[in-house]
Amino acid sequence: MLFGCSNNQKECIDNQINPNGDSELAIVMRNLFDNSFEIKNLIIDADTLKSNKLPSELIQKFNDNLNLLHTAKPTDKNLRDDGVYQAFANAYINTSEKFTNNISQNNFNAMVNNCIQCHEKFCLGTIQKINKLYIRK
Ligand code: HEC
């Protein structure tokens, strides 16, 4: 492995990714975080949940960012060499589609869980920030 770091969550949290980097993928990730945060705030609201609908522009932006997970240039040029990243990305895309097809707090949390699983695998840090997306019930 390129990363000599165990799957220990603490280590992962403390591990900064790219303090001064703004790769295409980093920007996609930040956008995904923002989209997800906006979605979270909407689905905390019972009426939104009941209608099972989110603003279409928001879903469009979110899906556009999802589509970039496989192509945006990462900081680590070798990120996509062994297929591990792609497998985690597909798992995440899968739960995201489940969520957009059926808007529920549980499906949202399942999606956040997939963000974190990939971050744990790659010891990418920012897990504490992603944890804030969870809807606590
Ligand atoms: C398939 C693996 C994977 C999934 C799924 C994933 N990430 Fe990431 N994330 C990465 C990688 C790799 C980077 C480093 C990007 C780079 O520097 O090129 C990263 C970086 C980030 C960053 C830091 C960006 C910066 O400012 O440098 C944030 C925030 C982030 N991800 C949030 C999320 C959120 C929120 C989700 C779910 C909505 C998510 N990630 C899902 C792999 C993943």
Side-chain angles (χ1 to χ4, degrees), residues 16-19 21-34 36 62 66 69 72-76 79 84-93 96 111-112 114-119 122 124-126 129-130 133:
Q16 268 303 323
I17 322 169
N18 48 334
D22 272 347
S23 70
E24 285 174 14
L25 187 62
I27 292 164
V28 168
M29 289 288 165
R30 262 175 258 162
N31 290 340
L32 271 180
F33 180 88
D34 292 345
S36 303
F62 178 69
L66 278 188
L69 279 180
K73 256 214 200 125
T75 306
D76 172 7
L79 180 69
V84 175
Y85 169 86
Q86 288 91 326
F88 276 97
N90 286 335
Y92 169 72
I93 290 167
S96 297
M111 189 170 83
V112 175
N114 278 114
C115 304
I116 288 178
Q117 276 174 7
C118 187
H119 277 245
F122 291 94
L124 283 172
T126 66
K129 180 175 168 181
I130 301 175
L133 291 173

Side-chain angles (χ1 to χ4, degrees), residues 25-129:
L25 187 62
I27 292 164
V28 168
M29 289 288 165
R30 262 175 258 162
N31 290 340
L32 271 180
F33 180 88
D34 292 345
N35 297 153
S36 303
F37 202 76
E38 210 177 316
I39 291 171
K40 173 188 176 172
N41 286 331
L42 287 170
I43 65 172
I44 289 174
D45 179 75
D47 288 339
T48 310
L49 269 183
K50 236 191 321 191
S51 71
N52 202 25
K53 261 214 192 109
L54 289 166
S56 55
E57 324 85 77
L58 178 55
I59 293 296
Q60 186 60 52
K61 267 194 274 178
F62 178 69
N63 285 335
D64 288 347
N65 286 314
L66 278 188
N67 287 332
L68 291 170
L69 279 180
H70 281 304
T71 51
K73 256 214 200 125
T75 306
D76 172 7
K77 295 192 301 295
N78 302 315
L79 180 69
R80 295 191 180 92
D81 281 1
D82 60 4
V84 175
Y85 169 86
Q86 288 91 326
F88 276 97
N90 286 335
Y92 169 72
I93 290 167
N94 215 317
T95 50
S96 297
E97 283 169 354
K98 244 187 222 154
F99 168 75
T100 48
N101 288 329
N102 183 4
I103 311 285
S104 79
Q105 295 186 347
N106 284 343
N107 285 348
F108 180 83
N109 280 345
M111 189 170 83
V112 175
N113 197 34
N114 278 114
C115 304
I116 288 178
Q117 276 174 7
C118 187
H119 277 245
E120 278 178 344
K121 178 71 195 171
F122 291 94
C123 302
L124 283 172
T126 66
I127 288 176
Q128 275 171 333
K129 180 175 168 181

Side-chain angles (χ1 to χ4, degrees), residues 7-24:
N7 250 348
N8 174 305
Q9 184 156 344
K10 174 123 196 344
E11 260 179 84
C12 293
I13 288 169
D14 292 341
N15 190 356
Q16 268 303 323
I17 322 169
N18 48 334
N20 45 359
D22 272 347
S23 70
E24 285 174 14

